[in-house]
Amino acid sequence: DSGVTQTPKHLITATGQRVTLRCSPRSGDLSVYWYQQSLDQGLQFLIQYYNGEERAKGNILERFSAQQFPDLHSELNLSSLELGDSALYFCASSVDGTLYNEQFFGPGTRLTVL
Amino acid sequence: KNEVEQSPQNLTAQEGEFITINCSYSVGISALHWLQQHPGGGIVSLFMLSSGKKKHGRLIATINIQEKHSSLHITASHPRDSAVYICAVWDRGSNYKLTFGKGTLLTVNP
């Protein structure tokens, strides 16, 4: 158990809908990362937050947004969902936002868009 | 061409064999991660390297920054090592961008 929690574990929804994925980092970790893993693209970095502020952006679509709250939990919002958004979404946390910190991954949320 | 290439894509070994998985990258990097993903989907960070060599139990990771190459070795492999092993690099040019290889599926038979 990494200490990172993600909810829900599974999510099934329809095209055009909006969903929110939630992540709680390990106690004491200030940085949260979001990743998408699909069968054709593999793992892709979406976005990083550090202590409430956006730190880095990867291949995140404009339909997706994220935030980190004062209690350091983070939410990833996916809107106008398409079939291609079906994937595993992982959250990871690290002590701070520097490059050389180990990341601890949550169990993932499996999103299925029908 | 992917910025991070792993080889082999698939690897089948017998229990006890010495395993090597390779990772080559084309960009200047700040650090490299080796990750393990089990069939259930969970991801575990195995190593983070910016130079040299690290060892943890039966796992050894090495990196050659000049040659832009890293290897992950597993000594005395065991069926519980069966997983996907993923290499990821921090691109020095775009600082916090983490780019992943497509992974190596390792199956260790008893």
Side-chain angles (χ1 to χ4, degrees), chain B residues 74-99:
Chain B
I74 305 175
T75 61
S77 58
H78 190 276
R80 66 173 173 266
D81 297 325
S82 298
V84 175
Y85 292 83
I86 302 167
C87 167
V89 302
W90 285 107
D91 183 338
R92 197 195 310 139
S94 58
N95 238 352
Y96 296 96
K97 178 188 169 192
L98 192 60
T99 304

Side-chain angles (χ1 to χ4, degrees), chain A residues 25-99:
Chain A
R26 289 188 324 156
S27 177
D29 284 0
L30 298 178
S31 206
V32 169
Y33 309 78
W34 284 99
Y35 299 96
Q36 179 194 57
Q37 186 178 39
S38 58
L39 279 174
D40 55 342
Q41 300 274 2
L43 267 168
Q44 290 194 90
F45 167 63
L46 295 178
I47 197 163
Q48 178 201 4
Y49 278 82
Y50 172 67
N51 206 20
E53 301 284 329
E54 182 185 303
R55 171 65 70 92
K57 231 171 183 173
N59 302 321
I60 189 165
L61 299 172
E62 283 192 15
R63 300 182 285 109
F64 296 0
S65 65
Q67 54 185 323
Q68 187 179 27
F69 294 87
D71 68 351
L72 300 176
H73 91 271
S74 178
E75 292 181 356
L76 179 66
N77 300 296
L78 316 176
S79 61
S80 303
L81 285 167
E82 302 175 359
L83 295 177
D85 298 327
S86 295
L88 262 172
Y89 291 84
F90 287 100
C91 156
S93 73
S94 66
V95 169
D96 60 32
T98 62
L99 294 173

